[in-house]
Amino acid sequence: MKSKVKTVMKYDPHIISPENTLKEAAQKMASVGCGALPVATQDNPMGMITDRDIVIRAVAKGKDVNTEKVRDYMTSELFFCNADDSLEEAAEQMHRNHVSRLAVIDKHGKITGMLSFGGILRKHSDTREIADITLCAVSKKAA
């Protein structure tokens, strides 16, 4: 039986507003120990901001993280999966969209968790299934 996203996802993710500054986003990432935050307003998913977005799109270009807003540096596409999807399906979604993290949404479109490729590798114990998941993440193997 294929493992489901809900077995390794991080529940109750920290969500940030598009109006927050990049510094506030970075501080939130640091305080919760993550590298990405979903961006939303009142459960309306808008995108994702990552530590890489902040560094490459703002810091490297000399932007002031104290005043620059998340909305201007976030990735506006939010890729997602459902908690009952298989880990292989989620890995294929990551591969298809060239991302390593997915928001997990419920049937109402509310963000209920986050799934990262690294989280799958750290939290899943079946090495044979991890090999299949990895194959889905790096190739076009069907789940």
Side-chain angles (χ1 to χ4, degrees):
M1 186 167 123
K2 295 181 180 180
S3 296
K4 303 288 185 184
V5 167
K6 62 186 169 189
T7 63
V8 297
M9 67 185 256
K10 182 179 185 307
Y11 286 85
D12 300 319
H14 294 267
I15 297 173
I16 196 153
S17 164
E19 299 307 313
N20 281 106
T21 65
L22 294 178
K23 182 177 181 179
E24 290 167 330
Q27 288 172 329
K28 187 175 253 195
M29 288 178 198
S31 73
V32 299
C34 71
L37 297 169
V39 180
T41 58
Q42 296 186 344
D43 297 328
N44 178 30
M46 299 177 65
M48 180 97 60
I49 186 82
T50 68
D51 47 6
R52 181 172 167 75
D53 293 333
I54 295 169
V55 171
I56 301 297
R57 296 179 183 171
V59 174
K61 294 179 179 174
K63 302 295 182 177
D64 184 355
V65 296
N66 294 299
T67 59
E68 295 293 319
K69 303 293 185 185
V70 166
R71 71 172 175 263
D72 298 319
Y73 296 90
M74 69 183 198
T75 301
S76 58
E77 281 190 280
L78 182 64
F79 299 104
F80 57 88
C81 62
N82 298 300
D84 286 322
D85 289 347
S86 74
L87 290 174
E88 287 185 7
E89 291 168 326
E92 283 181 347
Q93 169 85 321
M94 289 178 190
H95 174 74
R96 204 170 30 255
N97 295 295
H98 308 286
V99 297
S100 60
R101 300 173 179 104
L102 299 173
V104 182
I105 60 169
D106 65 15
K107 62 184 177 183
H108 306 292
K110 181 180 181 206
I111 299 171
T112 58
M114 290 290 292
L115 178 69
S116 70
F117 189 71
I120 293 171
L121 296 178
R122 285 188 299 276
K123 295 178 183 177
H124 197 35
S125 60
D126 183 337
T127 55
R128 185 168 288 130
E129 191 172 10
I130 287 175
D132 289 340
I133 293 164
T134 303
L135 188 57
C136 288
V138 298
S139 70
K140 295 183 180 186
K141 176 187 181 285

